[in-house]
């Protein structure tokens, strides 16, 4: 083999080795760039191809940090012209992430997190609520590129919900479905059981603020405890303990 060919081959093998051994911490750099420093990867171990870490984030200038459950990933081959990574949480498979030249796509399921751990991400007075209960994510679908997330859909349950915003803060359990794009977020919520029966749809954007319209039945007299910013939006329908909850352009 000619010396020039040996040099080229050695260089290619060295490059492959460097890429294969690239540290998992590089994912944190990508997250920071795509989220404008809102999200990061802490406690990164392993490589880009087989590793683990904890996704952390914070809202605006709030000093409180949010930590999601530890996630692991492993290279699973090629799919549709991209790299496929199998994801795990608590030792169980939770979906996959596909990365290609045109961006990335994630399909996750079965993730759980305590509501109090995500409280700092909520806007305005809502992040003072010390929310409780278990958030169970049945499905999370998202896609984007290295600059931003373009579309995301979430199907989740909030089990045994409670808040410190009211003296008797137990609210029950709820099912939520959400969809977000660059313009904002839209969502629907329905109650499963508990002292409040609620069904409605809402949205949040920088231009329109927070908006929500729904029907609420109060089985335990909780409506009188609602904080002022929320209680003012309850409109009795004439039926016992039944209200219309209509919020328009609320700046959270």
């Amino acid at each position: 083999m000619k010396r020039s060919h040996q040099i080229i081959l050695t260089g290619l093998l060295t490059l492959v080795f460097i890429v294969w051994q690239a540290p998992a911490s590089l994912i944190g750099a990508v997250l920071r760039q795509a989220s404008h420093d809102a999200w990061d990867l802490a406690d990164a171990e392993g490589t880009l191809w087989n590793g683990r870490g904890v996704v952390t984030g914070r809202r605006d200038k709030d000093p409180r940090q949010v930590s999601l459950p530890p996630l692991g990933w492993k290279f699973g081959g090629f799919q549709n012209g991209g790299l496929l990574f199998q994801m795990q949480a608590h030792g169980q498979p939770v979906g996959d992430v596909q990365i290609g030249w045109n961006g990335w796509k994630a399909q996750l399921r079965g993730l759980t997190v305590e509501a109090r751990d995500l409280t700092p991400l909520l806007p305005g007075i809502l992040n003072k609520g010390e929310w409780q209960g278990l958030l169970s994510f049945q499905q999370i679908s998202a896609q984007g590129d290295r600059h931003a997330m373009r579309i995301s859909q979430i199907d989740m349950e909030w089990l045994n919900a409670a808040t410190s915003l009211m003296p008797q803060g137990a609210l029950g359990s709820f099912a939520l479905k959400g969809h977000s794009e660059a313009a904002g977020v839209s969502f629907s919520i329905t109650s499963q059981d508990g002292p409040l029966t609620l069904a409605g749809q809402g949205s949040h954007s920088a231009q329109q603020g927070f908006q929500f319209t729904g029907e609420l039945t109060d089985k335990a007299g909780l409506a009188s405890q609602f904080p002022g910013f929320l209680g003012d939006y309850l409109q009795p329908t004439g039926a016992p303990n039944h209200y219309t909850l209509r919020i328009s352009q609320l700046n959270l």
Side-chain angles (χ1 to χ4, degrees):
M1 181 182 294
K2 293 183 178 180
R3 181 173 177 80
S4 59
H5 291 170
Q6 290 179 331
I7 294 175
I8 293 174
L9 179 59
T10 301
L12 289 175
L13 291 175
T14 301
L15 179 61
V16 169
F17 178 80
I18 292 174
V19 172
W20 188 253
Q21 295 298 319
S25 57
L26 289 178
I27 297 176
V30 175
L31 281 175
R32 291 192 298 272
Q33 181 180 14
S35 65
H36 305 289
D37 293 325
W39 294 95
D40 198 355
L41 183 71
D43 302 328
E45 299 179 7
T47 69
L48 288 177
W49 310 95
N50 188 354
R52 64 185 63 85
V54 178
V55 177
T56 64
R58 56 170 46 92
R59 177 181 172 84
D60 299 329
K61 298 181 180 180
D62 194 321
R64 296 174 298 171
Q65 181 173 273
V66 169
S67 296
L68 300 183
L71 289 174
W73 61 88
K74 183 178 182 180
F75 178 59
F78 298 91
Q79 181 173 299
N80 299 327
L83 306 176
L84 183 68
F85 291 86
Q86 299 165 342
M87 308 298 294
Q88 287 191 341
H90 306 297
Q92 299 296 323
V94 293
D96 53 64
V97 175
Q98 182 179 334
I99 302 175
W101 290 112
N102 296 324
W104 58 269
K105 181 184 299 183
Q107 295 284 343
L108 303 176
R109 59 191 178 276
L111 289 172
T112 58
V113 61
E114 294 290 337
R116 63 174 177 270
D117 293 337
L118 297 186
T119 296
L121 293 180
L122 298 175
I125 191 175
L126 294 180
N127 67 32
K128 307 296 192 297
E130 296 183 11
W131 301 96
Q132 301 173 16
L134 183 69
L135 301 178
S136 176
F137 295 90
Q138 276 75 48
Q139 186 76 24
I140 301 176
S141 301
Q143 65 184 56
D145 53 32
R146 64 188 182 90
H147 298 293
M149 180 185 297
R150 290 198 297 267
I151 299 175
S152 65
Q153 293 180 310
I154 295 179
D155 187 350
M156 59 173 285
E157 293 179 335
W158 185 8
L159 305 175
N160 301 316
T163 177
S164 65
L165 290 175
M166 301 187 303
Q168 298 177 4
L171 303 175
S173 297
F174 304 88
L176 299 95
K177 294 184 178 182
H179 176 85
S180 71
E181 295 183 356
V185 179
S186 60
F187 65 92
S188 65
I189 180 172
T190 55
S191 57
Q192 296 178 321
D193 57 42
L196 294 178
T197 299
L198 176 64
Q201 296 182 333
S203 63
H204 181 266
S205 67
Q207 294 76 21
Q208 299 295 326
F210 181 82
Q211 302 189 73
F212 181 83
T213 300
E215 300 294 321
L216 182 147
T217 300
D218 180 9
K219 304 175 184 178
L222 295 180
S224 61
Q225 303 179 40
F226 280 9
F229 84 98
L230 185 58
D232 292 343
Y233 294 96
L234 287 176
Q235 302 172 3
T237 63
N241 303 318
H242 189 263
Y243 303 86
T244 295
L245 178 58
R246 183 173 290 111
I247 302 173
S248 178
Q249 295 185 329
L250 175 63
N251 184 10
L252 294 175

